[in-house]
Amino acid sequence: MQSQVTIKTLYRMKEKGEKIVALTAYDFPFARMVDESGVHLILVGDSLGMVVQGELSTLPVTMDEMVYHTRIVSKAVRNAMIIGDMPFMSYQPGKEHAIANAGRFLKEAGAAAVKLEGGAAVSEIIKAISEVGIPVMAHIGLTPQSVHQMGGYKVQHDEERLMSDALEIEAAGAFSVVLEGIPSEISEKITKALTIPTIGIGAGPHCDGQILVLHDLLGLNERHIPKFVKQYARIVDEAKNGIKQYVEEVQAGKFPGKEHSY
Ligand code: KIV
Protein backbone atom coordinates (compact mmCIF):
# COMPACT_ATOMS: atom_id res chain seq x y z
CA MET A 1 0.00 0.00 0.00
CA GLN A 2 1.41 3.41 -0.96
CA SER A 3 1.44 6.26 1.57
CA GLN A 4 -0.66 9.41 1.32
CA VAL A 5 0.17 11.19 -1.94
CA THR A 6 0.97 14.90 -1.66
CA ILE A 7 2.27 17.55 -4.02
CA LYS A 8 5.78 16.69 -2.82
CA THR A 9 5.29 13.07 -3.91
CA LEU A 10 4.40 14.29 -7.39
CA TYR A 11 7.43 16.58 -7.68
CA ARG A 12 9.66 13.74 -6.51
CA MET A 13 8.12 11.38 -9.06
CA LYS A 14 8.73 13.86 -11.89
CA GLU A 15 12.34 14.27 -10.78
CA LYS A 16 12.91 10.51 -10.72
CA GLY A 17 11.05 9.93 -14.00
CA GLU A 18 8.38 7.79 -12.29
CA LYS A 19 5.02 7.93 -14.04
CA ILE A 20 2.09 9.46 -12.16
CA VAL A 21 -1.21 7.60 -12.53
CA ALA A 22 -4.43 9.57 -12.30
CA LEU A 23 -8.06 8.57 -12.80
CA THR A 24 -11.44 10.13 -12.23
CA ALA A 25 -13.97 8.86 -9.68
CA TYR A 26 -17.36 10.19 -8.68
CA ASP A 27 -18.75 7.93 -5.95
CA PHE A 28 -17.81 5.82 -2.92
CA PRO A 29 -17.51 2.27 -4.34
CA PHE A 30 -15.54 3.22 -7.43
CA ALA A 31 -13.33 5.66 -5.49
CA ARG A 32 -12.43 2.85 -3.13
CA MET A 33 -11.49 0.53 -6.03
CA VAL A 34 -9.45 3.24 -7.70
CA ASP A 35 -7.63 4.10 -4.47
CA GLU A 36 -6.95 0.46 -3.60
CA SER A 37 -5.53 -0.11 -7.11
CA GLY A 38 -2.62 2.24 -6.49
CA VAL A 39 -3.72 5.33 -8.43
CA HIS A 40 -1.86 8.44 -7.22
CA LEU A 41 -4.38 11.17 -8.12
CA ILE A 42 -8.16 10.94 -8.08
CA LEU A 43 -9.86 13.72 -9.96
CA VAL A 44 -13.53 14.24 -9.20
CA GLY A 45 -13.96 15.57 -12.71
CA ASP A 46 -16.78 17.68 -14.07
CA SER A 47 -16.86 14.92 -16.70
CA LEU A 48 -19.42 13.52 -14.25
CA GLY A 49 -21.90 15.72 -16.12
CA MET A 50 -21.49 13.47 -19.15
CA VAL A 51 -20.73 10.03 -17.69
CA VAL A 52 -22.92 10.11 -14.56
CA GLN A 53 -25.61 12.71 -15.20
CA GLY A 54 -26.15 11.95 -18.92
CA GLU A 55 -25.58 15.54 -20.06
CA LEU A 56 -24.13 16.28 -23.51
CA SER A 57 -21.39 18.54 -22.12
CA THR A 58 -19.82 19.46 -18.79
CA LEU A 59 -21.36 22.94 -18.82
CA PRO A 60 -24.48 22.29 -16.69
CA VAL A 61 -22.55 20.84 -13.70
CA THR A 62 -22.91 22.95 -10.56
CA MET A 63 -20.64 23.67 -7.60
CA ASP A 64 -23.07 21.96 -5.22
CA GLU A 65 -23.00 18.80 -7.35
CA MET A 66 -19.18 18.83 -7.43
CA VAL A 67 -18.99 19.29 -3.66
CA TYR A 68 -21.46 16.42 -3.14
CA HIS A 69 -19.50 13.99 -5.35
CA THR A 70 -16.11 15.04 -3.98
CA ARG A 71 -17.35 14.50 -0.42
CA ILE A 72 -18.52 10.95 -1.09
CA VAL A 73 -15.28 10.14 -2.95
CA SER A 74 -13.17 11.46 -0.09
CA LYS A 75 -14.91 9.11 2.37
CA ALA A 76 -13.50 6.14 0.42
CA VAL A 77 -9.96 7.29 -0.27
CA ARG A 78 -6.98 6.55 1.99
CA ASN A 79 -3.89 7.16 -0.15
CA ALA A 80 -4.55 9.04 -3.37
CA MET A 81 -4.58 12.82 -3.55
CA ILE A 82 -8.12 14.05 -4.24
CA ILE A 83 -8.59 16.91 -6.66
CA GLY A 84 -11.93 18.68 -7.06
CA ASP A 85 -12.68 19.96 -10.57
CA MET A 86 -14.03 23.49 -10.65
CA PRO A 87 -17.17 23.51 -12.84
CA PHE A 88 -18.04 26.06 -15.54
CA MET A 89 -18.55 29.55 -14.11
CA SER A 90 -17.29 28.65 -10.63
CA TYR A 91 -14.01 30.53 -11.21
CA GLN A 92 -14.28 32.50 -14.47
CA PRO A 93 -16.24 35.45 -12.93
CA GLY A 94 -13.30 36.62 -10.78
CA LYS A 95 -10.76 35.97 -8.06
CA GLU A 96 -12.99 36.25 -4.99
CA HIS A 97 -15.66 34.03 -6.49
CA ALA A 98 -12.96 31.52 -7.49
CA ILE A 99 -11.27 31.50 -4.06
CA ALA A 100 -14.61 30.99 -2.29
CA ASN A 101 -15.54 28.06 -4.54
CA ALA A 102 -12.06 26.48 -4.44
CA GLY A 103 -12.25 26.70 -0.66
CA ARG A 104 -15.47 24.70 -0.61
CA PHE A 105 -13.67 21.68 -2.11
CA LEU A 106 -11.23 21.63 0.81
CA LYS A 107 -13.54 22.78 3.61
CA GLU A 108 -16.72 20.85 2.77
CA ALA A 109 -15.56 17.98 0.57
CA GLY A 110 -12.17 16.67 1.71
CA ALA A 111 -10.19 17.52 -1.44
CA ALA A 112 -6.52 18.46 -1.22
CA ALA A 113 -6.44 20.52 -4.41
CA VAL A 114 -8.60 21.90 -7.21
CA LYS A 115 -8.35 21.85 -11.00
CA LEU A 116 -9.51 24.50 -13.41
CA GLU A 117 -9.40 24.90 -17.18
CA GLY A 118 -7.50 27.54 -19.14
CA GLY A 119 -4.07 29.01 -19.71
CA ALA A 120 -2.86 32.60 -19.65
CA ALA A 121 -6.46 33.88 -19.46
CA VAL A 122 -6.92 32.36 -15.98
CA SER A 123 -3.37 32.78 -14.65
CA GLU A 124 -4.45 35.57 -12.27
CA ILE A 125 -7.13 33.29 -10.87
CA ILE A 126 -4.66 30.42 -10.45
CA LYS A 127 -2.31 32.80 -8.63
CA ALA A 128 -5.06 34.09 -6.33
CA ILE A 129 -6.24 30.59 -5.34
CA SER A 130 -2.67 29.30 -4.86
CA GLU A 131 -1.77 32.29 -2.71
CA VAL A 132 -4.47 31.45 -0.17
CA GLY A 133 -2.93 27.99 0.22
CA ILE A 134 -5.05 25.93 -2.14
CA PRO A 135 -3.02 23.90 -4.64
CA VAL A 136 -4.23 24.37 -8.22
CA MET A 137 -3.90 21.95 -11.12
CA ALA A 138 -4.28 23.74 -14.46
CA HIS A 139 -5.72 22.22 -17.66
CA ILE A 140 -4.75 23.36 -21.15
CA GLY A 141 -5.22 22.20 -24.75
CA LEU A 142 -8.66 20.75 -25.37
CA THR A 143 -10.62 22.32 -22.53
CA PRO A 144 -14.17 20.87 -22.56
CA GLN A 145 -15.74 23.91 -20.85
CA SER A 146 -14.77 25.92 -23.97
CA VAL A 147 -16.43 23.45 -26.35
CA HIS A 148 -18.45 26.16 -28.09
CA GLN A 149 -15.45 28.43 -28.54
CA MET A 150 -13.34 25.55 -29.93
CA GLY A 151 -16.19 24.55 -32.30
CA GLY A 152 -16.28 21.01 -30.87
CA TYR A 153 -13.97 18.66 -28.98
CA LYS A 154 -10.91 19.21 -31.18
CA VAL A 155 -7.21 18.39 -30.82
CA GLN A 156 -5.28 21.64 -30.26
CA HIS A 157 -2.22 22.28 -32.46
CA ASP A 158 -1.11 25.85 -31.72
CA GLU A 159 2.31 25.06 -30.24
CA GLU A 160 3.31 28.64 -29.48
CA ARG A 161 0.12 29.33 -27.60
CA LEU A 162 0.17 26.02 -25.73
CA MET A 163 3.78 26.56 -24.63
CA SER A 164 3.14 30.13 -23.48
CA ASP A 165 -0.02 29.02 -21.62
CA ALA A 166 1.97 26.26 -19.90
CA LEU A 167 4.80 28.57 -18.84
CA GLU A 168 2.37 31.21 -17.62
CA ILE A 169 0.30 28.86 -15.46
CA GLU A 170 3.48 27.43 -13.95
CA ALA A 171 4.67 30.97 -13.13
CA ALA A 172 1.23 31.66 -11.60
CA GLY A 173 1.78 28.84 -9.09
CA ALA A 174 -0.03 25.80 -10.51
CA PHE A 175 1.39 22.59 -9.01
CA SER A 176 0.60 20.48 -12.07
CA VAL A 177 -1.14 20.73 -15.42
CA VAL A 178 -3.43 18.48 -17.43
CA LEU A 179 -2.53 18.43 -21.14
CA GLU A 180 -5.60 17.33 -23.08
CA GLY A 181 -5.94 16.67 -26.81
CA ILE A 182 -2.45 17.81 -27.79
CA PRO A 183 -0.09 16.15 -30.31
CA SER A 184 2.62 14.06 -28.63
CA GLU A 185 5.57 16.16 -29.87
CA ILE A 186 4.09 19.32 -28.37
CA SER A 187 3.30 17.68 -25.00
CA GLU A 188 6.84 16.30 -24.92
CA LYS A 189 8.27 19.80 -25.36
CA ILE A 190 5.94 21.23 -22.70
CA THR A 191 6.79 18.41 -20.28
CA LYS A 192 10.51 19.11 -20.71
CA ALA A 193 10.03 22.88 -20.36
CA LEU A 194 8.08 22.71 -17.08
CA THR A 195 9.27 21.85 -13.59
CA ILE A 196 5.71 20.92 -12.55
CA PRO A 197 4.32 17.50 -13.58
CA THR A 198 2.23 17.25 -16.74
CA ILE A 199 -0.68 14.80 -16.73
CA GLY A 200 -1.80 13.81 -20.20
CA ILE A 201 -5.10 12.71 -21.68
CA GLY A 202 -4.94 12.31 -25.45
CA ALA A 203 -1.53 13.94 -25.26
CA GLY A 204 0.79 11.00 -25.96
CA PRO A 205 3.25 9.02 -23.89
CA HIS A 206 5.78 11.70 -22.92
CA CYS A 207 3.79 13.40 -20.16
CA ASP A 208 4.85 12.87 -16.54
CA GLY A 209 1.59 11.05 -15.90
CA GLN A 210 -1.66 9.94 -17.52
CA ILE A 211 -5.33 10.39 -16.66
CA LEU A 212 -8.45 8.78 -18.09
CA VAL A 213 -12.13 9.07 -17.32
CA LEU A 214 -12.94 5.99 -15.21
CA HIS A 215 -16.15 5.19 -17.10
CA ASP A 216 -14.24 5.15 -20.42
CA LEU A 217 -11.52 2.84 -19.06
CA LEU A 218 -14.06 0.42 -17.58
CA GLY A 219 -16.36 0.32 -20.59
CA LEU A 220 -19.20 1.94 -18.68
CA ASN A 221 -19.65 4.68 -21.25
CA GLU A 222 -21.74 3.59 -24.22
CA ARG A 223 -21.47 6.92 -26.00
CA HIS A 224 -18.62 8.05 -28.31
CA ILE A 225 -15.24 6.63 -27.22
CA PRO A 226 -12.36 8.94 -28.21
CA LYS A 227 -9.23 7.51 -29.94
CA PHE A 228 -7.08 8.11 -26.86
CA VAL A 229 -9.16 5.81 -24.64
CA LYS A 230 -8.13 2.23 -23.94
CA GLN A 231 -10.93 0.11 -22.50
CA TYR A 232 -9.42 -2.17 -19.88
CA ALA A 233 -12.75 -3.80 -18.98
CA ARG A 234 -16.30 -4.10 -20.34
CA ILE A 235 -18.40 -3.54 -17.24
CA VAL A 236 -21.55 -2.73 -19.23
CA ASP A 237 -21.65 -6.25 -20.72
CA GLU A 238 -21.00 -7.89 -17.35
CA ALA A 239 -23.60 -5.74 -15.59
CA LYS A 240 -26.26 -6.28 -18.28
CA ASN A 241 -25.74 -10.05 -18.11
CA GLY A 242 -26.31 -10.00 -14.37
CA ILE A 243 -29.39 -7.79 -14.62
CA LYS A 244 -30.90 -9.89 -17.43
CA GLN A 245 -30.44 -13.07 -15.36
CA TYR A 246 -32.20 -11.38 -12.44
CA VAL A 247 -35.11 -10.37 -14.69
CA GLU A 248 -35.40 -13.91 -16.05
CA GLU A 249 -35.21 -15.56 -12.63
CA VAL A 250 -37.83 -13.27 -11.07
CA GLN A 251 -40.16 -13.84 -14.02
CA ALA A 252 -39.59 -17.60 -13.87
CA GLY A 253 -40.23 -17.68 -10.10
CA LYS A 254 -36.65 -18.89 -9.45
CA PHE A 255 -35.62 -15.91 -7.34
CA PRO A 256 -35.83 -15.58 -4.41
CA GLY A 257 -35.16 -19.23 -3.56
CA LYS A 258 -35.21 -20.77 -0.09
CA GLU A 259 -31.65 -19.63 0.61
CA HIS A 260 -32.65 -15.98 0.09
CA SER A 261 -35.84 -16.16 2.14
CA TYR A 262 -36.50 -15.88 5.90
O1 KIV B 1 -13.46 16.34 -16.00
C1 KIV B 1 -12.57 15.51 -16.17
O2 KIV B 1 -12.73 14.31 -15.96
C2 KIV B 1 -11.29 16.01 -16.67
C3 KIV B 1 -10.26 14.98 -17.05
C4 KIV B 1 -10.65 14.30 -18.28
C5 KIV B 1 -8.90 15.56 -17.13
O3 KIV B 1 -11.09 17.16 -16.77
Side-chain angles (χ1 to χ4, degrees), residues 24 43 45-47 85 115 139 178 201 213:
T24 66
L43 173 71
D46 65 353
S47 49
D85 203 7
K115 176 175 85 59
H139 181 160
V178 169
I201 175 163
V213 168

Side-chain angles (χ1 to χ4, degrees), residues 145-178:
Q145 290 177 15
S146 308
V147 57
H148 296 303
Q149 197 179 43
M150 293 182 299
Y153 297 102
K154 303 228 163 80
V155 175
Q156 303 296 300
H157 295 270
D158 185 345
E159 180 171 341
E160 207 175 308
R161 177 167 176 207
L162 289 163
M163 183 59 85
S164 71
D165 276 344
L167 293 170
E168 195 153 332
I169 53 99
E170 176 172 80
F175 75 91
S176 175
V177 57
V178 169

Side-chain angles (χ1 to χ4, degrees), residues 84-104:
D85 203 7
M86 299 195 67
F88 184 56
M89 282 303 135
S90 68
Y91 55 97
Q92 291 91 338
K95 291 183 206 170
E96 282 190 11
H97 190 78
I99 291 172
N101 281 323
R104 289 190 66 193

Side-chain angles (χ1 to χ4, degrees), residues 9-231:
T9 321
L10 307 177
Y11 289 144
R12 229 179 4 250
M13 289 178 78
K14 172 155 180 145
E15 254 175 53
K16 290 187 183 164
E18 290 171 12
K19 291 285 185 187
I20 299 165
V21 187
L23 202 50
T24 66
Y26 316 99
D27 63 21
F28 184 91
F30 279 112
R32 187 156 64 183
M33 287 186 247
V34 171
D35 189 47
E36 288 177 353
S37 304
V39 166
H40 304 105
L41 299 178
I42 296 182
L43 173 71
V44 186
D46 65 353
S47 49
L48 73 85
M50 298 170 83
V51 299
V52 175
Q53 297 175 331
E55 301 285 358
L56 292 175
S57 77
T58 58
L59 302 182
V61 178
T62 67
M63 242 338 271
D64 285 344
E65 288 162 352
M66 290 307 304
V67 167
Y68 167 80
H69 283 276
T70 307
R71 191 165 55 232
I72 57 178
V73 163
S74 71
K75 286 182 189 166
V77 173
R78 295 284 163 268
N79 301 115
M81 179 172 169
I82 300 172
I83 303 171
D85 203 7
M86 299 195 67
F88 184 56
M89 282 303 135
S90 68
Y91 55 97
Q92 291 91 338
K95 291 183 206 170
E96 282 190 11
H97 190 78
I99 291 172
N101 281 323
R104 289 190 66 193
F105 279 106
L106 275 68
K107 199 175 172 71
E108 298 174 38
V114 298
K115 176 175 85 59
L116 56 81
E117 294 181 11
V122 292
S123 64
E124 284 301 313
I125 287 171
I126 292 174
K127 186 163 185 277
I129 300 175
S130 304
E131 279 177 356
V132 299
I134 302 173
V136 182
M137 173 181 260
H139 181 160
I140 62 171
L142 191 172
T143 46
Q145 290 177 15
S146 308
V147 57
H148 296 303
Q149 197 179 43
M150 293 182 299
Y153 297 102
K154 303 228 163 80
V155 175
Q156 303 296 300
H157 295 270
D158 185 345
E159 180 171 341
E160 207 175 308
R161 177 167 176 207
L162 289 163
M163 183 59 85
S164 71
D165 276 344
L167 293 170
E168 195 153 332
I169 53 99
E170 176 172 80
F175 75 91
S176 175
V177 57
V178 169
L179 305 181
E180 178 165 357
I182 296 177
S184 301
E185 315 81 65
I186 302 180
S187 343
E188 185 175 13
K189 286 183 194 163
I190 293 174
T191 300
K192 284 188 179 148
L194 297 186
T195 57
I196 58 173
T198 60
I199 309 293
I201 175 163
H206 305 294
C207 301
D208 298 307
Q210 296 291 328
I211 185 163
L212 282 177
V213 168
L214 179 68
H215 289 46
D216 291 342
L217 174 155
L218 289 180
L220 268 168
N221 178 10
E222 293 190 282
R223 284 184 179 164
H224 169 70
I225 311 290
K227 172 183 160 80
F228 59 77
V229 168
K230 180 167 177 183
Q231 278 193 343

